[in-house]
Amino acid sequence: MNPTTFKQQVVRYAPPQLVHWGKYLVDSAYRHRSRHLARLKRVPRYRPAVTEILGRPLEVVDSASFLWMYREIFVDEIYRFRARTDEPYIIDCGANIGLSVLYFKQLYPRARVAAFEPDREIFEVLSRNVAAQGHGEGVELHRRAVWTEETTLSFWSEGADGGRLSDVGDGVAARGVEVPTARLRDFLGGRVDFLKVDIEGAETEVLEDCADRLGEVEHLFVEYHSFAERPQTLHRLTTLLADAGFRLHIQPVIPSPRPFVQRHVEGGMDMQLNVFAFRA
């Protein structure tokens, strides 16, 4: 067994805490990240904070959702993709405080990104974060919700990453505020290298409205949300994507080990899936 393979086997089978402390001692970048993550874990939910985990000051609106997003985006790299050009066009629907935008610009510094975030307060943080990290060039920020038409709809702000349109049948309209919407279809007139759709329950309707234009999209990420009190639309979504020529890979976000007898419900959802759609 060569030394590299031996090291890989040691890391694979060693206890997680041993691996953590080993990396903490020898890897300064890992040590930097670990310190900032540890500080954020002590911050109560929905309390604004600032971290320098990416090197420059980054505003956080909610510690728990930030820690989750940071792991998915920067550690697990769920949005990583191979573009055919060093200037890919990326549409980010549901940009939140900007971690996905910052990741895309780190992955492809010359990328052109159109990002949408309807929550007024979170949009302001998104704008400041993109500017503070030095990634403003090539980024267009839209304070709009993505929908099937340009109009005004009620939007329920959760204060973190769970805000959603409240006119799509989830019973929170009474607590909503009016936000302008953009029709995603209007942004799909040409080639799109990566389309990210994380819009908390409106994904199926929005993508159905874009059905005949999805052929120009190379990589498509959809976070599918199944609300416990609403009919599921997963069958419509997967059929739509298959008809557009995509091959799918699906990962559960909210697992229920014994769904016949007990389904885990979080944020009103009894299932949440990450759907990766790509060209075969």
Side-chain angles (χ1 to χ4, degrees), residues 108-235:
Y108 293 105
R110 297 176 64 186
R112 295 177 297 117
V113 182
F116 297 83
E117 174 53 50
D119 188 301
R120 181 185 296 274
E121 294 183 4
I122 292 180
F123 180 84
E124 292 175 357
V125 175
L126 162 67
S127 301
R128 291 195 294 268
N129 280 341
V130 170
Q133 298 298 317
H135 292 307
E137 185 176 352
V139 177
E140 295 180 0
L141 302 179
H142 302 267
R143 193 181 69 80
R144 293 175 177 266
V146 172
W147 187 232
T148 60
E149 61 178 328
E150 286 193 10
T151 183
T152 300
L153 291 177
S154 179
F155 179 83
W156 175 66
S157 176
E158 180 260 348
D161 61 346
R164 57 185 181 266
L165 289 174
S166 51
D167 280 6
V168 294
D170 59 10
V172 296
R175 294 178 285 161
V177 296
E178 297 297 303
V179 299
T181 68
R183 192 181 186 189
L184 177 58
R185 178 186 178 84
D186 294 340
F187 291 80
L188 298 180
R191 178 187 178 86
V192 177
D193 295 276
F194 193 102
L195 171 59
K196 168 188 165 246
V197 180
D198 183 1
I199 51 178
E200 303 296 319
E203 56 274 354
T204 301
E205 288 83 355
V206 167
L207 289 173
E208 284 179 335
D209 183 56
C210 304
D212 61 334
R213 296 193 177 182
L214 294 180
E216 294 295 320
V217 177
E218 283 292 307
H219 305 83
L220 171 57
F221 173 89
V222 187
E223 189 167 281
Y224 169 75
H225 305 83
S226 169
F227 288 92
E229 303 303 322
R230 290 162 54 186
Q232 293 180 315
T233 62
L234 181 60
H235 59 296

